Amino acid sequence: MLQQLYIYGGLLVIYASVNTFTLKSLTQVARIGAIWQVAGAFVIAVTLLSVAEKRQKWSWVLTDFEPNPASGITSPGYICLLGLLTACWSFTGYDSAAHLIEETISGDLTAGWPMLYAIITSFTVGLLYLLSLTATIQDITTFTDPSAELATVSYVAQIMWDAFESRYSSGHASLVLMMVPLGSCWFCGLLSVTSASRMLYGFSRDQAVPFWRIWTHVDAHSGVPVNAVWGVVAGAFVMSLPLLQGVTAFLATTSIATVGLALAYGMPIGLHLINRNSFEPGPFTLGR
């Protein structure tokens, strides 16, 4: 676990360093990341469906619930709720446009559209990605087998390995395909630091967080709140310290954060539905 913590810390330093570039450079990186995410999902879907010797029936993919006796989870309803975490991960990131609104020309009018496009794209690409992975599972018992070492590290890696092994008697070629989700994770981590640093900067400007004077500093050359960037990275590293006690606590933290983010963005929508008259439409509106 200590080795994983070192790797995580190293990645955070890289993320922070890249985020200290100029805004124009960050825009180019974000554009490359978006293309990688969308194109990568199609590459994975086409490759797995072409390579896998066995493809699950769509009725199984869409309706089957597989209990895991080792974990004690056997309720179909609870399994369904846990499965929704995967969908939540697919949607995470659509709010980045709102965090960067002050760095956008006419942001009050234009920033809402990227959020809408991101939701539609995340739904389409994420659904394709999840369906292709589920449809190419070769043996579902692999994921409940304690001796399956790769499955304990990553179910995605196990699915890809099994798919290639089913055709070529070896799964080593799947390691090349794994570069796609690993690259997506890299871009996701990078842009998460970008987004979180802007939130910290915004809250600090309103004096809503401790040490707000530090976080509101903006570098004159790059136009980036550099202190906020490194502050977010430091906080993320501290949050990863439960890794020292095992991966379970860390995964629980990230799962709670995913659900909490969705609930946080659902609260204004719920309040709007409860009392429409209290909300005044802004420059950007969907009409309701």
Side-chain angles (χ1 to χ4, degrees):
M1 293 304 172
L2 190 59
Q3 185 180 19
Q4 293 180 2
L5 192 63
Y6 287 151
I7 295 173
Y8 180 66
L11 285 172
L12 287 176
V13 171
I14 295 174
Y15 292 156
S17 301
V18 175
N19 268 281
T20 57
F21 292 166
T22 61
L23 295 177
K24 185 176 181 180
S25 300
L26 283 175
T27 300
Q28 296 301 323
V29 172
R31 189 168 293 149
I32 295 172
I35 295 173
W36 181 282
Q37 300 271 19
V38 175
F42 281 96
V43 169
I44 289 175
V46 172
T47 303
L48 286 180
L49 292 173
S50 301
V51 168
E53 283 287 339
K54 174 185 176 183
R55 301 184 191 89
Q56 301 290 347
K57 295 181 179 179
W58 289 113
S59 58
W60 182 87
V61 171
L62 298 173
T63 63
D64 188 72
F65 292 94
E66 291 290 336
N68 185 355
S71 66
I73 300 175
T74 58
S75 169
Y78 191 52
I79 294 173
C80 180
L81 290 175
L82 290 176
L84 291 178
L85 282 174
T86 309
C88 288
W89 274 112
S90 300
F91 277 107
T92 300
Y94 62 83
D95 55 321
S96 297
H99 303 154
L100 300 172
I101 190 171
E102 293 180 350
E103 300 169 23
T104 306
I105 299 175
S106 301
D108 56 343
L109 291 171
T110 60
W113 290 111
M115 292 182 67
L116 183 61
Y117 297 151
I119 292 173
I120 296 173
T121 304
S122 296
F123 171 80
T124 306
V125 176
L127 184 62
L128 174 67
Y129 175 69
L130 295 176
L131 287 177
S132 63
L133 284 175
T134 310
T136 53
I137 292 175
Q138 300 302 293
D139 184 5
I140 192 64
T141 59
T142 302
F143 303 107
T144 58
D145 183 2
S147 63
E149 296 183 1
L150 187 57
T152 60
V153 176
S154 170
Y155 286 165
V156 173
Q158 184 70 61
I159 292 172
M160 291 183 178
W161 181 280
D162 290 345
F164 276 83
E165 190 175 46
S166 68
R167 180 173 293 273
Y168 302 113
S169 301
S170 172
H172 289 93
S174 66
L175 299 178
V176 178
L177 191 61
M178 270 300 296
M179 293 298 103
V180 176
L182 287 175
S184 297
C185 289
W186 190 88
F187 281 110
C188 179
L190 175 70
L191 298 175
S192 292
V193 171
T194 307
S195 179
S197 64
R198 274 31 175 208
M199 282 193 289
L200 178 58
Y201 169 77
F203 287 131
S204 299
R205 192 183 52 193
D206 295 334
Q207 303 180 21
V209 294
F211 311 112
W212 59 270
R213 294 183 186 275
I214 297 176
W215 314 130
T216 52
H217 172 73
V218 176
D219 183 74
H221 172 68
S222 63
V224 173
V226 176
N227 291 349
V229 169
W230 286 97
V232 163
V233 165
F237 184 78
V238 171
M239 291 293 292
S240 70
L241 293 180
L243 268 175
L244 295 174
Q245 299 298 321
V247 71
T248 303
F250 179 75
L251 292 178
T253 302
T254 56
S255 298
I256 292 171
T258 304
V259 175
L261 182 65
L263 290 175
Y265 278 96
M267 288 173 63
I269 298 174
L271 293 173
H272 187 191
L273 294 174
I274 294 173
N275 193 349
R276 295 178 181 272
N277 296 329
S278 298
F279 284 77
E280 181 179 348
F284 173 84
T285 176
L286 295 176
R288 301 185 66 183

